[in-house]
Amino acid sequence: MTKKCRICGRTYPDEAAFCGKCGVPLVEIEDTGKESKSPINKSTNKPGKPRKTQEEKKDAAWGQTEALLDELNSMIGLSSVKEEVQNRINMIRVARKAAELGSGRVFSVGTLHMVFTGNPGTGKTTVARLLGKIYGALGVLKKPDVFIECGRNDLVAGFIGQTAPLVKKKFDEARGGVLFIDEAYSLYNPALPSDFGQEAIDTMVQYMDTMRDEVMVVVAGYKKEMEIFIRDANPGLASRFKTVINFEDYSPSELFEILMSMIRKDGMKLEDDAGKYVKKVIQVRSKNTNFGNARGVRNLFEDIKEAHDTRLGEMISRGVALNSNMIDCITAEDVKSLLKNHDEEDLNMDDLLAQLDELVGLRAVKQQLKQQIAIVQAQKNAVKAGVTNLKEIGPQHMIFAGNPGTGKTTVARLVGKIYEVLGLVADSSIFVECGRSDLVGEYLGQTAPKVDKMVRSALGGILFIDEAYSLYQDDSATTADYGKEAINELVKEIENHRDNLIVIMAGYTQEMKNMIGKANPGLKSRFPVWLEFEDYTAAEMVQIFYFMLQEKGYRMAGEPGDLEALVEKASKEPNFGNARGVRNLVDKVISAQSLRLSEIGYENIHDPDMYVKIESSDLMAVMEKIYI
C-alpha cells in the first residue's frame, strides 16, 4: 500500500503522513493507483489488522518531532540556532493546520537548503543531523537517517570532466536526506581561474534545483568566508540559501557546562575547589584561535584525566592504598597542573575587601564598590535559593573618572580580583592596559582589527583603557580621525563578549562625561557604573608618602611637621599628579639623603641605620628646590 498527494500527485510509502512538497495529508491508494476504501489482508482476502488512522500517524509524527526538539533544546548554548529551528517548525505546523482545515492558503515548505556559519566545534554537524531527523519526522525528508558529510576533496577532481560526476554522486548518495558540505568556502578560489572548485559550485547549484525536494543541502564554514562564498561564488547561491544560521562561540560558562557533562558521562566528579581552576584553564585555552570550542573542551578533559591518572600512578608507586572515590574524583591539584603558574594566590573576598579598605582615601569609591559587590552577591544567592523572576544583573563595565594619580589603575586591578571571586571574570591575572594608540589606526581599515586584537587579549579578564576620552575628538573638522570608529567597534565587541569581558575606561571627569554623552548612544547603557576618584588631601598624601617610603625599605626620622610642610608645598605645583607626584617626591627625598651621606663620607658612617633613615634635612633640601 502506498500513499498519494491529492494536490501534486507525488507518491509516498505507507509510513508517511504528509506531502513533503505541499504539506497536505496523504491519501492511501492501492497498487492500481485507486484510492483504497478499506484495508484487506491479501493472503486471506479478509479484513486484516487495521492500519493506523491519519490522525494517529499525525500524532506520532508530532510526538517524534517534539522528542527531537527536546534533544536540540537540551544542548548547551546555541540559543539563536534553537530559535531559528523552532521558527521553521512553527511555520510548517501552521501551514499544515491550514491545509487540514481546508484553508485556501497554498502551502510550500520552501527551500530546505541552509547555511551554517561559525567557528569549529560549535555544533554545526550535530545540529544538521538533528534537523534532518526533525524534517524526517515531519515527512519533509523521506530518509532522515541519510546524512552525507563531505568537503572539497570529495567534490573537486584534478582533471577536466571529473568534477561534475563527483558532485552528482554525492547528491545521489544523499537522496532523501541531508548533504552536509563542510568548509564549503574552500570550493571558491577566485585567485585561480583554472581551479575546478567553480565547476563543483555550478554543478551543486544545478542539483540543488533539480533535487530540491529530495536533498537538503547544508553548507558550513567560518562566518566571513561563508558570506563571501554565498555572495560571490555563484549568482544563484543567495536565492537558494534563504536560511543562514550563525553558531556563536560558546561562552566560558557554557564551555564549563560542556566539560561538566563530559565528566559526569565518564562517571567522574569534580572536587568543589577544583571548579575555579577549571574555569581558569578554559579561559586561558579558549583565547587561542585554534581552541575549537567543544572540541577544545574534549581535549581539555583528556588532559585533565591524564593529569589525574599521573597523580594516582605516583601514589600507587609510593604504596598508597586507593579507594573508588579517589579514582573517580578530579582534584584541584589535577587541574592546577595544567596552568603555567599554578602557585597563584587563592583569592578570598574578605582579604580583598580588607585590601580595599587599606587604600588611602577614596571613601566614595570604596562605598560604591561595596554596593556593587552586595548587588551581585544578593543576585547570585537569590538564584541559588531558587528565585527565578529577578532580572539579570546587567553589564558591570565601569567608568573611572578623576585626575591622574588618584588610584584608578590600582583599584581596577583590585576590582579584577573581586570580580573573579564573584564569577564575573574568569582570570583576574588577565589585565590589559591600553590607550588610544593601541586602538586607533592611522589609515582606513586599521582600527577595527586593532580593537579586536586588544579585546581578544583581555577576554576573561579586565580591559583597562586609560585616557579613554582621547578616542573621541569633538571636532567635526577632524574627519581623518578614526577614534569614533574605535568607540563604535568597542561597543560592538562589548556586546559580543558580554559574558567574557569587563571593560574599565578611565580619564578626566569632564572629558569622560563629554565622550559618554556624545560619542556613541550605546556607551551610557553599557557603562552603568561611574566611580569618581577625588584628589587626595594633603593629609592623605602624607600617608601615601609613608607607605611608599616603607615599600622602598626606608623610614622617617625627621619631624612629622616637616614632611607635612613638604607635601603641602609640593602638591601646589602644576600637574603634581596626586599619588604619582608623591612617588616622585619620595624619589627626590631618597636622592637628597644619598647626597647627604656621600658628603658625610661613607667611611665615617658606623651606624647602618643611617642608610635607611630620612632626616628633616633631607626633606628641607627638597623643599628648597620647589618653586611655586
Side-chain angles (χ1 to χ4, degrees), residues 44-261:
T44 62
N45 204 33
K46 296 179 181 180
K49 184 178 179 181
R51 298 179 183 275
K52 288 184 177 179
T53 66
Q54 198 76 3
E55 193 65 27
E56 289 172 333
K57 290 182 177 180
K58 182 187 72 172
D59 290 343
W62 288 133
Q64 186 181 1
T65 303
E66 292 291 348
L68 291 167
L69 281 173
D70 287 343
E71 184 178 344
L72 173 63
N73 290 327
S74 68
M75 295 176 68
I76 295 169
L78 306 176
S79 57
S80 61
V81 175
K82 295 170 184 176
E83 182 180 357
E84 180 63 36
V85 171
Q86 185 64 61
N87 290 342
R88 304 264 313 174
I89 302 304
N90 291 340
M91 179 193 73
I92 294 173
R93 281 179 162 169
V94 171
R96 287 190 166 171
K97 176 57 70 174
E100 290 176 20
L101 297 174
S103 167
R105 175 174 178 174
V106 177
F107 171 73
S108 173
V109 175
T111 178
L112 301 177
H113 312 310
M114 294 186 176
V115 179
F116 284 4
T117 65
N119 292 325
T122 47
K124 297 188 291 295
T125 308
T126 302
V127 171
R129 288 183 184 275
L130 198 52
L131 195 54
K133 292 179 181 179
I134 290 172
Y135 279 177
L138 293 171
V140 176
L141 291 176
K142 292 183 179 180
K143 299 178 180 178
D145 292 329
V146 173
F147 187 90
I148 304 300
E149 188 174 356
C150 63
R152 176 185 168 90
N153 291 339
D154 304 298
L155 300 172
V156 180
F159 302 98
I160 296 177
Q162 294 181 340
T163 295
L166 286 178
V167 176
K168 183 180 185 303
K169 178 184 176 184
K170 289 300 174 186
F171 269 84
D172 287 339
E173 290 175 1
R175 191 184 296 272
V178 177
L179 177 61
F180 184 84
I181 305 175
D182 201 13
E183 296 182 358
Y185 56 83
S186 64
L187 297 173
Y188 179 56
N189 193 347
L192 292 175
S194 60
D195 182 69
F196 296 117
Q198 188 63 51
E199 181 184 353
I201 296 169
D202 298 340
T203 307
M204 181 180 77
V205 170
Q206 174 191 338
Y207 283 112
M208 285 173 67
D209 258 348
T210 59
M211 300 177 69
R212 61 182 176 274
D213 299 325
E214 299 177 273
V215 177
M216 173 182 173
V217 178
V218 179
V219 290
Y222 293 108
K223 188 174 189 293
K224 290 182 180 179
E225 286 82 347
M226 290 302 295
E227 288 174 351
I228 296 171
F229 171 72
I230 297 299
R231 185 189 67 214
D232 298 340
N234 183 294
L237 282 175
S239 62
R240 287 163 179 80
F241 287 107
K242 291 293 186 182
T243 302
V244 179
I245 301 179
N246 184 51
F247 289 66
E248 296 180 356
D249 286 343
Y250 291 107
S251 69
S253 60
E254 290 169 344
L255 293 172
F256 181 74
E257 285 185 60
I258 293 171
L259 179 63
M260 290 304 297
S261 68

Side-chain angles (χ1 to χ4, degrees), residues 237-438:
L237 282 175
S239 62
R240 287 163 179 80
F241 287 107
K242 291 293 186 182
T243 302
V244 179
I245 301 179
N246 184 51
F247 289 66
E248 296 180 356
D249 286 343
Y250 291 107
S251 69
S253 60
E254 290 169 344
L255 293 172
F256 181 74
E257 285 185 60
I258 293 171
L259 179 63
M260 290 304 297
S261 68
M262 291 178 180
I263 290 173
R264 288 190 295 267
K265 188 176 180 181
D266 221 48
M268 303 184 77
K269 58 185 177 181
L270 195 66
E271 188 180 68
D272 288 342
D273 60 344
K276 64 180 180 181
Y277 296 109
V278 170
K279 291 176 181 178
K280 283 195 174 186
V281 176
I282 287 175
Q283 182 52 56
V284 171
R285 291 198 177 189
S286 62
K287 287 176 62 180
N288 190 314
T289 54
N290 298 319
F291 177 66
N293 287 284
R295 297 178 194 174
V297 173
R298 167 62 62 186
N299 293 334
L300 172 58
F301 183 40
E302 295 300 326
D303 290 343
I304 290 175
K305 287 195 294 184
E306 182 178 342
H308 170 269
D309 293 346
T310 298
R311 177 176 59 82
L312 294 186
E314 292 173 352
M315 292 173 67
I316 293 172
S317 65
R318 296 197 306 269
V320 177
L322 303 183
N323 56 44
S324 60
N325 183 63
M326 296 167 68
I327 292 174
D328 297 340
C329 187
I330 296 170
T331 68
E333 182 182 346
D334 300 328
V335 186
K336 286 174 71 175
S337 66
L338 304 180
L339 290 166
K340 289 184 178 179
N341 178 20
H342 51 270
D343 295 325
E344 60 202 24
E345 61 177 318
D346 287 324
L347 301 177
N348 176 277
M349 182 61 78
D350 291 336
D351 293 340
L352 294 172
L353 290 176
Q355 291 180 38
L356 179 64
D357 286 332
E358 288 170 4
L359 294 175
V360 175
L362 307 177
R363 184 179 61 84
V365 169
K366 294 173 183 177
Q367 183 179 1
Q368 194 167 349
L369 273 178
K370 289 177 181 179
Q371 288 176 350
Q372 288 299 123
I373 293 167
I375 290 171
V376 176
Q377 287 177 325
Q379 181 93 17
K380 288 182 173 293
N381 287 328
V383 172
K384 287 181 180 179
V387 179
T388 59
N389 60 345
L390 291 177
K391 291 184 179 180
E392 291 185 3
I393 299 170
Q396 294 294 302
H397 309 299
M398 297 181 168
I399 299 294
F400 283 10
N403 292 325
T406 47
K408 295 188 290 293
T409 307
T410 300
V411 172
R413 290 186 179 277
L414 192 54
V415 164
K417 295 177 181 180
I418 290 171
Y419 274 12
E420 181 180 340
V421 175
L422 291 173
L424 298 178
V425 301
D427 188 354
S428 58
S429 67
I430 300 173
F431 187 91
V432 178
E433 288 187 68
C434 65
R436 177 186 167 89
S437 61
D438 302 300

Side-chain angles (χ1 to χ4, degrees), residues 457-492:
S457 68
L459 289 180
I462 303 290
L463 177 64
F464 183 81
I465 306 174
D466 201 11
E467 297 183 356
Y469 56 84
S470 64
L471 296 174
Y472 178 62
Q473 304 291 334
D474 191 8
D475 182 2
S476 58
T478 317
T479 54
D481 182 73
Y482 299 109
K484 195 168 189 301
E485 180 188 351
I487 294 172
N488 296 338
E489 193 69 23
L490 185 64
V491 169
K492 183 178 73 174

Side-chain angles (χ1 to χ4, degrees), residues 485-500:
E485 180 188 351
I487 294 172
N488 296 338
E489 193 69 23
L490 185 64
V491 169
K492 183 178 73 174
E493 291 291 346
I494 286 174
E495 189 63 27
N496 291 341
H497 302 288
R498 57 185 176 274
D499 298 325
N500 197 19

